[in-house]
Amino acid sequence: MPQREYAGKTVEVDPEGFLVDRQEWTPEIGEALAGEAGIALTSRHWTVIHFCREDTEKQGAPPGLRRIAKLSGVDTKELYQLFPKGPGKLAARIAGLSKPQGCV
């Protein structure tokens, strides 16, 4: 697996840039991943990121867009504003998770 350095820490990533081991993620790595995508994280971004990480721990897999919109308190329209061009996939990547099922 390829490796990348984020916030001074070297981590393994898959070919699409998703962390291989979600336990290696830190908020600083999340900031670096967001910066790579051209996103400056706000408290609303962090609401989604924390939801995704917590939901993954409970469910065993990253949540898809519908689950995030339904349960995180951030609706679909806002998700597209926060994470343009594929909010489910981008939110998971920034949260240090694998690509959600059903994301292209």
Side-chain angles (χ1 to χ4, degrees):
M1 288 284 169
Q3 293 184 333
R4 291 198 185 150
E5 186 175 316
Y6 295 108
K9 184 175 180 181
T10 302
V11 294
E12 281 190 63
V13 296
D14 70 11
E16 292 185 74
F18 289 86
L19 266 62
V20 172
D21 180 357
R22 70 177 180 247
Q23 301 303 323
E24 292 185 327
W25 183 88
T26 64
E28 294 78 21
I29 289 174
E31 291 274 359
L33 289 164
E36 200 173 74
I39 296 172
L41 297 177
T42 66
S43 63
R44 293 300 280 170
H45 288 96
W46 285 110
T47 295
V48 175
I49 291 165
H50 291 305
F51 169 79
C52 289
R53 291 191 60 81
E54 290 167 10
D55 194 67
T56 299
E57 287 298 319
K58 292 176 191 167
Q59 301 297 318
L65 178 61
R66 287 188 178 125
R67 186 170 178 80
I68 297 169
K70 184 176 181 182
L71 300 175
S72 73
V74 179
D75 66 27
T76 303
K77 183 178 178 182
E78 186 178 2
L79 284 169
Y80 273 95
Q81 291 169 345
L82 294 170
F83 302 97
K85 301 178 188 170
K89 185 175 174 180
L90 187 53
R93 187 167 177 267
I94 293 170
L97 306 171
S98 58
K99 184 166 74 171
Q101 292 261 349
C103 285
V104 180

